[in-house]
Amino acid sequence: MERLAIVVPCYNEEEVLQISSQALRDTLTDLVNKKKIAEDSFVLFVNDGSKDRTWELIEEEHRKYPQQVFGVKLAGNVGHQFALTAGLITAKDMSDVTVSIDADLQDDVAVIEEMIDKFHQGCDIVYGVRKERKTDTFFKRVTAQGFYKVMELMGVKSIYNHADFRLMSRRAVEQFSLYKETNLYLRGMMPLIGYQTDKVYYDRKERAAGESKYPLRKMLALAFEGISSFSVKPISMILGLGFLIVAVSILAAVYALISYFTGHVTPGWTSLMLSVWFLGGTQLLAIGLVGQYIGKIYMEVKQRPRYNIEKVLTSEKEQRQEP
Ligand code: UDP
Ligand code: MG
């Protein structure tokens, strides 16, 4: 039976912590009773430098339920994506499979069972996908949809309506840990891992207690992070624009020269027209070109794994030598 770790990043979640601890422990107990996970499965709360009593509450839960509730205290606030990564990597060596979920219980704990079933069927990553955005404000809904559109346009693979509620097998977390980049956008990284995946659908609820820790500022920052960490398309767009303007400058040159020879143009207009268009175009072109190299350097310095082996078929002899 596999040991499950439920990883929960928490930032100033004192209002909801005990409620979610209870709900997650109940989920564990239920799954253990159904013989779907090992008895020593646990919840791992990651305190992301909270300023309130979150960590004290985690300690208290751990005292009360030493087998079921574990905690990690980060030295300061590093943000949801890093807190979650810290939790996953800590949990990796203690578990066979992890499920990450927010502390506020907006994601439906009931579908964790379905995730585990899919894991047993051979999936390494199972995405929790929300069915509708009923509980969101109009604003959040529209911005979120716009965000997915922009991501698609930029060529970033991401799962529609999936936040960070997901199951990952141990080897998926191990592979993920090879991505050393510090510009973290987990939702974009998961499709890069490439193992077998599936989705489960759920209705996202209101926060169980407390307020959102993701104000517009943080949402926009995450969106920018997502695009800039995965796509160098904006640079290519500059290059494209450079080409376009150089092309236009040729047309403008023809027009200016015709005007010069046929009409009465103010002295100096023709040469100004020619230089403004042509210089503007070549400058953009040059910036775009330099940008292409910077884009390549950017991709190189990430040092992402170049491939990810899912299975190897060899003779028994080689297999015995495996670590
Ligand atoms: N969170 C975190 N660090 C932060 C901000 C948020 O660990 O700097 C956690 C937070 O405690 C919660 C999760 O990230 O468990 C998602 O945040 P929230 O529910 O406030 O976001 P929303 O659902 O409103 O988008
Ligand atoms: Mg939330």
Side-chain angles (χ1 to χ4, degrees):
M1 210 76 72
E2 283 89 1
R3 191 180 193 192
L4 168 69
I6 302 184
V7 179
V8 193
C10 310
Y11 176 62
N12 293 348
E13 299 286 12
E14 62 180 8
E15 280 148 295
V16 82
L17 198 107
Q18 279 156 327
I19 308 174
S20 69
S21 169
Q22 175 78 51
L24 293 170
R25 278 185 288 105
D26 289 349
T27 309
L28 285 184
T29 313
D30 180 46
L31 289 172
V32 169
N33 289 341
K34 287 180 176 159
K35 304 220 175 324
K36 297 199 171 180
I37 55 171
E39 265 177 47
D40 54 359
S41 298
F42 59 94
V43 181
L44 179 70
F45 287 106
V46 183
N47 177 35
D48 183 18
S50 300
K51 296 186 187 73
D52 63 2
R53 291 185 56 250
T54 301
W55 179 246
E56 284 74 21
L57 292 176
I58 295 172
E59 283 180 323
E60 197 182 303
E61 289 292 305
H62 176 63
R63 246 190 328 269
K64 278 197 234 161
Y65 312 97
Q67 309 299 325
Q68 274 193 313
V69 177
F70 295 178
V72 175
K73 187 184 185 193
L74 297 180
N77 178 246
V78 291
H80 175 229
Q81 301 284 294
F82 286 102
L84 183 51
T85 305
L88 287 173
I89 291 184
T90 310
K92 168 172 73 90
D93 299 326
M94 301 189 268
S95 61
D96 306 298
V97 54
T98 62
V99 168
S100 55
I101 189 168
D102 290 348
D104 56 10
L105 296 180
Q106 283 191 284
D107 306 317
D108 191 359
V109 291
V111 299
I112 293 180
E113 180 173 351
E114 222 178 302
M115 287 180 166
I116 295 287
D117 291 342
K118 301 230 185 227
F119 165 69
H120 285 138
Q121 287 157 18
C123 287
D124 279 280
I125 301 179
V126 184
Y127 299 105
V129 174
R130 54 201 296 189
K131 282 185 206 147
E132 279 174 72
R133 292 186 161 258
K134 268 190 294 203
T135 53
D136 273 355
T137 57
F138 174 74
F139 178 73
K140 194 148 188 169
R141 204 160 50 222
V142 169
T143 45
Q145 271 155 5
F147 170 65
Y148 286 109
K149 281 268 146 28
V150 174
M151 291 297 263
E152 208 180 283
L153 228 92
M154 293 290 163
V156 185
K157 272 198 244 166
S158 58
I159 310 287
Y160 190 66
N161 270 353
H162 159 69
D164 282 304
F165 180 31
R166 89 175 75 74
L167 173 144
M168 292 174 81
S169 68
R170 182 183 175 144
R171 68 170 187 164
V173 181
E174 245 152 35
Q175 189 64 25
F176 161 70
S177 71
L178 298 180
Y179 288 73
K180 302 284 182 204
E181 59 207 73
T182 43
N183 291 287
L184 270 190
Y185 180 66
L186 301 183
R187 287 171 231 179
M189 291 165 77
M190 296 307 147
L192 297 181
I193 294 177
Y195 289 137
Q196 194 179 333
T197 63
D198 207 339
K199 296 174 195 162
V200 294
Y201 296 89
Y202 68 99
D203 279 316
R204 196 161 151 106
K205 291 174 275 196
E206 306 272 4
R207 237 175 189 276
E211 280 165 14
S212 173
K213 308 296 180 293
Y214 254 101
L216 182 64
R217 180 177 52 80
K218 276 194 193 170
M219 256 168 62
L220 285 177
L222 184 70
F224 183 72
E225 196 70 25
I227 293 167
S228 60
S229 304
F230 283 87
S231 174
V232 289
K233 266 216 173 133
I235 301 177
S236 303
M237 285 177 177
I238 296 180
L239 188 67
L241 194 66
F243 272 117
L244 192 77
I245 291 189
V246 167
V248 170
S249 88
I250 293 171
L251 295 182
V254 173
Y255 170 67
L257 286 175
I258 291 174
S259 312
Y260 178 73
F261 286 116
T262 59
H264 304 279
V265 291
T266 322
W269 178 82
T270 314
S271 48
L272 263 181
M273 267 307 266
L274 290 181
S275 24
V276 166
W277 277 97
F278 186 67
L279 279 181
T282 35
Q283 271 169 0
L284 267 186
L285 203 69
I287 293 173
L289 202 64
V290 173
Q292 291 294 312
Y293 286 95
I294 296 178
K296 288 203 172 194
I297 296 171
Y298 180 57
M299 287 304 169
E300 287 291 339
V301 293
K302 280 184 187 288
Q303 300 216 351
R304 283 181 176 162
R306 284 175 290 186
Y307 48 79
N308 178 13
I309 293 172
E310 190 166 345
K311 275 198 183 99
V312 184
L313 295 178
T314 48
S315 71
E316 266 177 44
K317 202 174 84 197
E318 267 84 19
Q319 275 169 9
R320 260 182 271 122
Q321 289 168 355
E322 268 182 23

